[in-house]
Amino acid sequence: MSTHSCLDGSRRPDPDHTPSGSSPGADPSPGPAPVRPGDDGGRGYWPMVVAVASASIMLPFSVTGAAMALPSMAAHLGSSVGAAQWMLNAFNITFAALPLAAGSIADRLGRRRVLLTGIALVGGLSLLIALAPSMAVVDVARVIQGCGAAAILASGAAVLAHSTSGRRRQLAFGVLGTSFGTGLAIGPLVAGALVEASGWRSVFLLVAAMSVPAWLCATRAPESRNPDQPALDLAGLVTFTAGLACLSFAFVQAGIAGWSAPSTLLMLAAAAALVALFIVVEIRLADRAMLDVRLFRRPEFVAVVCQPFTVTLGFVVLLVYLPAYLQGVAGRTVLASGLLLLPMTAPVLLLPLAAGHLAARTSVRTVLTGASALIVAGALLLATLHSNGSWLELALPLLPFGAGVGLAFGVMDNAAVSTVPVENAGTAAGIFNTMRITGESVAVSGAAALLTTLTATRLSGSGLPSDSATRIAGQVIQGQVADVHRTALAAGFTSAFHTLGLVLAALSTLGAVLTYLALAPHRALTRH
């Protein structure tokens, strides 16, 4: 999951400290400038950095690890297709909907306090999932775990931003970015090895164990808060979360009952109405809104904010559903599936830093457009995917995909805040990360519905009744394949991935064109 972020949970500077980089004499009040707690000679610096980094690495692992464990978990717990799909969707909805609200709460109640709460929720609920007797318990736990993940994302970077400055801040955020990349890169491999060696429960036990040192280190981080933070935008939070939940419900229902089923259409209509209501609420609240929609008047900001939908959408989809394809249809072991994903995940760890240097020598426009072009190439090359393919054949589409995402990760955050006035940078970062995680959430649930529908259509053509075809197709995208249907499922699921590749290529092409046009130099000159 692409959670590489520099999110500052708050949107306004704290009144209790001097902002980094302010000039001497800028504060008219007498007395020396306040000392940042994290810059006290290093006594609390590294425990704080380790706490935030180790807590943050749990976030992508909670997505990639869960995806690797899902086939074994679903088979062991005997869950229905819909219940198993909610193991992924439940976490994604709350994780996507709550970062801005969690940032506001952290500003009011204390950033360290919210970070500690988030670590405890992610770790504690992982332990509950590892001991869960049914998928229903897992689904409920994943909802609450997503809340904890949002709290970590919103408060972790805010703790670092408030307590460090200068080179120490650069180092801290460098470690933070590396932790996200590491979680994405090694998550499938580590989870695959754990599932194969000790079963699916061991994946969640590892996250629970990781939370203990993270929590202990976080207790040594300095506390900070902003007592003047505006009240929480409860109306915006409720409408946004409900709209996202309805959309996910619609996608799950489409995979079970079909796109034309009344229940699917009703959920789609409810999602559209709630999103429209959310926009109205945010416009009326203006500067008190959770999401400042006024920034969307800037075409260059819109182009960058749409990057998560055109850049990371395909990455997350492949990260979640390609392991199920490799384990179910291709008959690979869980560990082998993790190894086969390395051509896509390794560049995400290695290329972000290189992307920053490349952007400095060329432009952010060039890097983002080139990244989208690489993703287009990888998406088109998904047409070569087949169940008996070798490692090299699978690497052919995955390597350009991973390279494009890795390059984009290196510049997207900076591009988001650079396309707006400096006073809106915090808000822009919050919006960007909310859109990114929302895009990933929609991608995971939407791709499941699309792959199920396409596979079921192919199965129906081979003579299976429609209801049976839909049920079996829903099982195969979760890695469960009955031997009697293996040949037909291999053809149907492979064909569905080929079509998905064309959809991703079209979206990335659109993203490349929009980025190239919106980030044209004349716009930057006009803005300044």
Side-chain angles (χ1 to χ4, degrees), residues 344-361:
M344 184 177 69
T345 56
V348 176
L349 177 61
L350 301 175
L351 288 182
L353 186 59
H357 290 300
L358 184 60
R361 301 186 68 172

Side-chain angles (χ1 to χ4, degrees), residues 229-468:
Q229 176 71 15
L232 180 65
D233 175 12
L234 188 59
L237 175 63
V238 170
T239 52
F240 182 71
T241 306
L244 188 58
C246 285
L247 187 60
S248 296
F249 269 110
F251 286 141
V252 172
Q253 197 62 25
I256 297 173
W259 289 95
S260 60
S263 55
T264 304
L265 296 176
L266 179 63
M267 283 296 170
L268 285 173
L274 285 165
V275 169
L277 180 59
F278 168 71
I279 293 172
V280 171
V281 168
E282 299 304 276
I283 291 174
R284 290 175 64 94
L285 288 176
D287 60 345
R288 295 180 291 112
M290 180 178 78
L291 204 71
D292 191 348
V293 295
R294 295 172 298 181
L295 291 180
F296 286 89
R297 297 170 183 168
R298 307 175 71 88
E300 61 271 35
F301 179 71
V302 173
V304 175
V305 164
C306 287
Q307 284 290 321
F309 292 93
T310 58
V311 169
T312 63
L313 187 148
F315 178 75
V316 172
V317 167
L318 295 180
L319 205 60
V320 171
Y321 295 112
L322 197 54
Y325 175 87
L326 295 171
Q327 293 174 47
V329 169
R332 313 276 183 149
T333 65
V334 183
L335 178 58
S337 299
L339 287 170
L340 286 167
L341 292 179
L342 278 177
M344 184 177 69
T345 56
V348 176
L349 177 61
L350 301 175
L351 288 182
L353 186 59
H357 290 300
L358 184 60
R361 301 186 68 172
T362 56
S363 67
V364 170
R365 179 196 193 197
T366 300
V367 174
L368 284 178
T369 304
S372 293
L374 283 170
I375 293 169
V376 170
L380 291 174
L381 286 170
L382 279 176
T384 65
L385 180 71
H386 59 95
S387 58
N388 297 320
S390 66
W391 187 90
L392 287 176
E393 289 173 316
L394 186 61
L396 183 64
L398 295 189
L399 189 57
F401 227 115
V405 174
L407 288 173
F409 275 14
V411 297
M412 282 197 303
D413 292 272
N414 183 47
V417 299
S418 298
T419 54
V420 300
V422 66
E423 61 268 20
N424 297 123
T427 303
I431 292 174
F432 175 74
N433 282 282
T434 298
M435 294 293 285
R436 169 157 46 191
I437 304 169
T438 300
E440 293 171 359
S441 174
V442 171
V444 168
S445 54
L450 178 62
L451 290 170
T452 300
T453 301
L454 293 173
T455 305
T457 301
R458 185 72 175 260
L459 290 176
S460 297
S462 66
L464 274 177
S466 179
D467 290 346
S468 297

